[in-house]
Amino acid sequence: MKKILIVVGILSGISAFAAGHRDGTYRGVFVSGQETQTEVQFKLKNDIVSNTRFRTLQYKGKNYLKDKNLENIKNEYLAALKATEGKNINDAKEMLYSPEKIEMAGATVRASKIRAAMQNALNSGVYKPDNK
């Protein structure tokens, strides 16, 4: 009986993992030093990332989304985030560990902030589920 319960428990865990994430819009943040530095929003459908955008992108009070002097840095971050589109969420997060391999992003981008914000969104659950 114990063996059957263990097998059922393992199979349940595997099927839950394989099921993926609920389709819909996700939002997540990366906070450091009591400052929300990165806030992302994206959609998932069958675990494929789309419609990515930054809701917040700042560092030490400098708003990369609004400050024209930081346009180049903003564009590098945008390139990293846009590179996740069309990819499976797990592959997209893994890719962000190597921003230097992402065209137009470069090694100076702290893509780990984007990755952390995306993981936070997944941990928080769907913000707005797709209508069925």
Side-chain angles (χ1 to χ4, degrees), residues 108-122:
T108 58
V109 169
R110 301 285 185 235
S112 58
K113 293 179 181 182
I114 300 169
R115 185 191 183 289
M118 291 180 98
Q119 185 62 55
N120 174 262
L122 297 174

Side-chain angles (χ1 to χ4, degrees), residues 5 22 38 64 69 74-76 89 99 101-102 112:
L5 290 176
R22 188 171 179 184
T38 308
Y64 295 1
N69 295 324
K74 176 185 87 172
N75 289 337
E76 290 175 351
I89 184 64
K101 295 179 182 177
I102 300 170
S112 58

Side-chain angles (χ1 to χ4, degrees), residues 92-103:
K93 290 187 306 167
E94 190 63 30
M95 177 191 64
L96 291 170
Y97 281 122
S98 304
E100 68 277 3
K101 295 179 182 177
I102 300 170
E103 189 175 341

Side-chain angles (χ1 to χ4, degrees), residues 4 15 24 33 40 47 57 64 77 82 84 89 105 109 112 114 118:
I4 291 173
S15 64
V40 297
D47 276 357
L57 185 61
Y64 295 1
Y77 274 94
K82 291 296 179 190
T84 65
I89 184 64
V109 169
S112 58
I114 300 169
M118 291 180 98

Side-chain angles (χ1 to χ4, degrees), residues 1-73:
M1 185 65 167
K2 277 186 178 180
K3 289 181 183 180
I4 291 173
L5 290 176
I6 291 172
V7 170
V8 169
I10 291 171
L11 291 176
S12 296
I14 291 171
S15 64
F17 179 74
H21 302 89
R22 188 171 179 184
D23 290 349
T25 302
Y26 286 78
R27 288 182 179 176
V29 297
F30 171 78
V31 177
S32 181
Q34 299 181 357
E35 175 185 50
T36 298
Q37 293 183 6
T38 308
E39 183 179 3
V40 297
Q41 180 173 306
F42 57 93
K43 288 189 70 93
L44 283 183
K45 183 166 180 109
N46 299 320
D47 276 357
I48 303 299
V49 179
S50 67
N51 295 39
T52 59
R53 71 182 190 97
F54 285 107
R55 294 178 50 81
T56 304
L57 185 61
Q58 64 183 18
Y59 182 66
K60 293 188 177 179
K62 295 181 181 178
N63 187 333
Y64 295 1
L65 298 177
K66 293 183 180 179
D67 189 333
K68 295 293 182 195
N69 295 324
L70 301 171
E71 193 82 16
N72 288 341
I73 296 171

